[in-house]
Amino acid sequence: MAVADVAMAAGFGSVRRFNDVFVQRYRMKPTALRKEGSEPTPGAALTLRLAYRPPYDINGVLRFLAARQLSGIEAAVTEDGLLRRTLALAHQGRRFTGWLSGRFAGADATRHEFELQISASLLPALGAVIERVRQGLDLDADPTLIEPALASLPGPAGLRLPNGFDGFESAVRVILGQQVTVAAART
């Protein structure tokens, strides 16, 4: 990626400000770091780990998404916990399209993470992509506020409210889901 694209993906309004902060923190210019690094692999993806607060009903969320997946756009596979989808978004006056793929690290006590891979074409809009994934999977929910309110209801702990990765997409899904069955809305 160009340094300007990295600066914008990191949330800086200008390359100059990014360079100033980079030099202050790392005592070298971004271009010097790039010269020392290895050559990027064309089409390579970036892998991130997005934390969430337990409990989190992973299987329930994946079942919910799998029942509503749109063929050719997304796939939620509950058996191995994999979620894949395409994504198109506008960010800072540009349009980006690509794919993302992720899996929950598991419900063990040490790792409460969603491991996310993002296609290189979405990297200039990385901040917006992360925000959409966190929102789409409800990773920022606070279980200490949710669990007491739902304690009297049957079902597993960690209920979350997953939604779409795009506001318009979510609105269309809600409207269609109210008018017809979920299965019919998928068509």
Side-chain angles (χ1 to χ4, degrees):
M1 289 177 61
V3 173
D5 289 337
V6 172
M8 296 306 155
F12 287 87
S14 73
V15 176
R16 183 173 157 217
R17 181 70 185 130
F18 172 75
N19 285 336
D20 290 346
V21 170
F22 197 93
V23 169
Q24 181 183 16
R25 296 271 200 289
Y26 299 106
R27 293 180 179 37
M28 69 170 63
K29 293 182 179 182
T31 52
L33 179 67
R34 175 169 282 159
K35 288 176 187 173
E36 291 179 18
S38 61
E39 287 295 315
T41 306
L46 175 68
T47 301
L48 302 168
R49 292 182 180 162
L50 306 178
Y52 61 88
R53 289 172 272 200
Y56 190 106
D57 182 12
I58 295 169
N59 292 329
V61 167
L62 290 176
R63 277 193 308 273
F64 178 86
L65 294 172
R68 289 155 178 80
Q69 68 189 3
L70 298 175
S71 227
I73 295 175
E74 57 195 348
V77 182
T78 57
E79 294 81 32
D80 60 1
L82 185 66
L83 172 69
R84 294 181 304 238
R85 71 163 292 136
T86 59
L87 188 64
L89 69 142
H91 179 68
Q92 295 182 341
R94 294 173 55 196
R95 184 157 174 79
F96 299 96
T97 59
W99 57 266
L100 51 91
S101 176
R103 137 183 359 261
F104 286 94
D108 65 357
T110 59
R111 295 179 62 205
H112 304 288
E113 301 169 335
F114 182 73
E115 296 172 354
L116 176 67
Q117 283 193 323
I118 301 171
S119 66
S121 60
L122 291 173
L123 291 180
L126 183 61
V129 171
I130 291 171
E131 181 181 340
R132 286 184 182 210
V133 171
R134 293 194 70 80
Q135 178 183 14
L137 297 175
D138 201 16
L139 297 178
D140 292 325
D142 185 353
T144 61
L145 299 174
I146 298 169
E147 292 302 317
L150 299 177
S152 63
L153 298 177
L159 183 65
R160 298 296 172 99
L161 185 59
N163 61 55
F165 290 79
D166 177 81
F168 179 75
E169 176 183 318
S170 295
V172 170
R173 286 177 189 243
V174 168
I175 292 168
L176 286 176
Q178 295 298 313
Q179 300 300 316
V180 296
T181 65
V182 171
R186 288 176 54 189
T187 61

